[in-house]
């Protein structure tokens, strides 16, 4: 594709999955096997992403152990031990200056007051570079960690999520922007008339407030959401400023982009207030042959039990060990309840490509159903540009197959190609994550109409 100067720029996030997104990445010589608890590894990765002028880095998280499959596959997966994300990002904010930090936290299993406080703290510590990835937690192996007898159903989780986000945003507005005068001469530290108790009483939550920390440089941390089901799209349309999503074809990505942005008007929001960032896992070679060789090298590291474990969520209750790996799946079901959006992507992929069981798990091993692109820097840039310019994406969540190797390759080879085409920045535009993403600073809910308009 030719070089041009578009009026809008790609937004890039680096989605960091410890050793990398490929399920066998921890076995690869280009990875750091103990990276889940290796702070030096994360420092290197965050600084590499900042060198590449990425908007943000992101880690997924769950309040429980990630695994579905048998004991054999469990013993072979490399994601069993990893940092809590807010703690991690607070540390990394001290060794970076520009890049934003997206941390996942659950509206189903966390407390809204404590969540609001820790994210506000991260936003202050990072000087306005924090974001909250709002999740409702689909994993059904978590509820026992919180003294519950069952996992709430999807409708209940999303209903609570809408209320939860509103409460957290209200707590972030506890202090007016000018409440803390800190006048040493007069001895007045703050204006108590500019401190607001939330006094929320709702169906799921009862929270008094106020929060014991002032508004940050961003006003609020950026709100990110990652669900692509009907409920997830509705939550994003109402609350999110960026949404992470997974698609493997341009047509599907375009349909999602149009759908989620089309839901925003009923919440009084404009389409540009929400950035759609599909995942892309690039396997990069200086030639096509080199890229394909890298992909083959990774695929050869997949143990069959680990590969089959990636399919377990989509064929619940079945003994996949009895399947013929080199034949198509015996049947392709409708998406199981609770993970409909990702299951739709995976099962539609199996139908469309007519994959064998082995081919399907080899594809999913790369990025769990996200878009895997194998090729040269020019090929990767071509595909990104096509989606960006044709109503499928405002940017991408880049998912390196192996860390730190694959992120280094993206920064060194793909970023310059995107810049050459005028698609990506050559320097950071602002100091906060909001400024770099082109998002407005939210006014406090307690501000006067005149102040909000300003």
């Amino acid at each position: 594709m030719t070089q041009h100067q578009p009026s809008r720029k790609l937004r890039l996030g680096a989605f960091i999955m410890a050793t990398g997104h490929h399920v066998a990445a921890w076995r690869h010589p280009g990875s750091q096997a103990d990276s889940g608890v290796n702070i030096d590894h994360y420092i290197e990765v965050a600084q590499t992403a900042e060198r590449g002028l990425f908007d943000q880095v992101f880690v997924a998280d769950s309040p429980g152990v990630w695994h579905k499959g048998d004991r054999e596959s469990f013993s072979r997966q490399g994601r069993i031990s990893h940092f809590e994300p807010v703690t991690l990002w607070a540390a990394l904010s001290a060794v970076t200056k520009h890049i934003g930090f997206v941390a996942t936290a659950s509206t189903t299993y966390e407390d809204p007051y404590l969540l609001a406080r820790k994210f506000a703290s991260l936003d202050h510590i990072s000087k306005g570079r924090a974001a909250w990835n709002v999740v409702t937690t689909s994993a059904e192996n978590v509820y026992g960690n919180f003294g519950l007898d069952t996992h709430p159903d999807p409708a209940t989780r999303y209903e609570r999520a809408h209320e939860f986000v509103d409460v957290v945003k209200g707590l972030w507005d506890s202090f007016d922007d000018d409440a803390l005068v800190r006048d040493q001469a007069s001895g007045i530290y703050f204006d108590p008339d500019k401190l607001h108790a939330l006094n929320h009483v709702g169906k799921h939550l009862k929270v008094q407030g106020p929060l014991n920390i002032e508004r940050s440089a961003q006003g609020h941390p950026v709100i990110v959401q990652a669900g692509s089901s009907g409920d997830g799209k509705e939550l994003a349309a109402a609350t999110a400023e960026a949404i992470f999503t997974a698609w493997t074809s341009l047509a599907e990505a375009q349909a999602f982009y149009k759908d989620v942005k089309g839901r925003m008007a009923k919440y009084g929001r404009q389409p540009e207030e929400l950035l759609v960032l599909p995942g892309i896992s690039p396997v990069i070679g200086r030639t096509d042959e080199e890229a394909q060789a890298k992909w083959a090298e990774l695929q050869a590291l997949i143990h069959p039990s680990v590969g089959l474990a990636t399919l377990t969520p989509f064929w619940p209750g079945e003994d996949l060990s009895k399947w013929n790996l080199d034949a198509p799946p015996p049947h392709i079901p409708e998406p199981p309840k609770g993970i409909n959006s990702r299951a739709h992507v995976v099962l539609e992929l199996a139908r469309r490509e007519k994959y064998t069981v082995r081919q399907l798990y080899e594809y999913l091993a790369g990025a769990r159903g996200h878009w895997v692109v194998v090729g040269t820097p020019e090929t990767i840039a071509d595909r990104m540009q096509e989606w960006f310019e044709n109503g499928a994406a405002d940017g991408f969540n880049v998912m390196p197959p192996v860390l730190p190797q694959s992120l280094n390759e993206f920064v060194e080879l793909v970023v310059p190609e995107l810049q050459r085409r005028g698609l990506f920045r050559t320097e950071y535009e602002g100091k906060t994550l909001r400024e770099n993403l082109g998002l407005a600073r939210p006014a406090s809910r307690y501000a006067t109409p005149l102040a909000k308009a300003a």
Side-chain angles (χ1 to χ4, degrees), residues 176 443-454:
D176 290 349
S444 168
R445 66 178 60 190
Y446 302 107
T448 64
L450 187 61
K452 287 184 179 181

Side-chain angles (χ1 to χ4, degrees), residues 112-343:
Y113 189 93
L114 296 178
L115 185 148
R117 188 184 185 205
K118 70 181 179 181
F119 274 88
S121 297
L122 177 61
D123 213 22
H124 280 283
I125 291 167
S126 64
K127 299 181 181 179
R129 294 185 282 144
W132 169 29
N133 177 38
V134 179
V135 298
T136 65
T137 305
S138 62
E140 295 189 5
N141 64 341
V142 167
Y143 63 85
N145 297 340
F146 296 88
L148 302 180
D149 295 325
T150 59
H151 183 54
D153 64 81
T156 300
R157 297 201 312 270
Y158 275 102
E159 184 181 66
R160 174 183 164 92
H162 280 269
E163 184 180 346
F164 194 110
V165 173
D166 186 62
V167 166
V168 169
K169 290 169 73 175
L171 290 169
W172 284 336
D173 287 340
S174 292
F175 288 91
D176 290 349
D177 284 320
D178 59 352
L180 280 293
V181 294
R182 298 185 175 98
D183 187 333
Q184 292 176 314
S186 69
I188 301 297
Y189 194 80
F190 84 105
D191 183 346
D193 291 333
K194 295 182 178 182
L195 177 63
H196 309 279
L198 187 63
N199 293 319
H200 173 87
V201 179
K203 181 175 180 180
H204 299 278
L205 303 167
K206 184 177 180 181
V207 182
Q208 179 177 313
L211 198 64
N212 58 351
I213 187 168
E214 63 203 82
R215 288 184 111 224
S216 68
Q218 291 197 111
H220 298 170
V222 174
I223 299 291
V224 180
Q225 208 266 333
S228 298
S229 65
D231 287 334
K233 286 183 283 191
E234 206 63 32
L235 181 63
T239 67
E241 296 166 288
I243 183 169
F244 299 150
T245 186
W247 303 105
T248 58
S249 74
L250 175 62
E252 287 178 311
Q254 288 171 321
F256 175 84
Y257 187 96
K258 182 178 180 181
D259 184 356
V260 71
K261 296 216 176 198
R263 296 169 185 248
M264 298 176 68
K266 63 185 169 186
Y267 299 105
R269 306 183 67 205
Q270 299 298 314
E272 61 270 18
E273 295 178 53
L274 174 62
L275 302 171
V276 177
L277 306 174
I280 178 172
S281 189
V283 182
I284 307 161
R286 287 178 170 80
T287 64
D288 286 327
E289 293 75 16
E290 181 185 333
Q292 291 295 338
K294 286 182 176 181
W295 183 235
E297 180 186 17
L298 274 167
Q299 301 296 63
L301 297 175
I302 304 169
H303 190 276
S305 69
V306 176
L308 287 172
T310 67
L311 304 183
T312 298
F314 313 110
W315 279 269
E318 297 201 26
D319 184 358
L320 275 63
S321 66
K322 297 179 180 178
W323 286 7
N324 180 349
L325 299 185
D326 297 308
H331 69 98
I332 299 176
E334 291 304 309
K337 184 179 179 181
I339 55 170
N340 297 44
S341 59
R342 183 58 55 84

Side-chain angles (χ1 to χ4, degrees), residues 32-44 81 83 88:
Q32 178 74 38
D34 68 347
S35 62
V37 290
N38 186 321
I39 189 61
D40 294 329
H41 166 78
Y42 280 104
I43 290 172
E44 177 185 349
S81 175
F83 290 128
L88 172 63

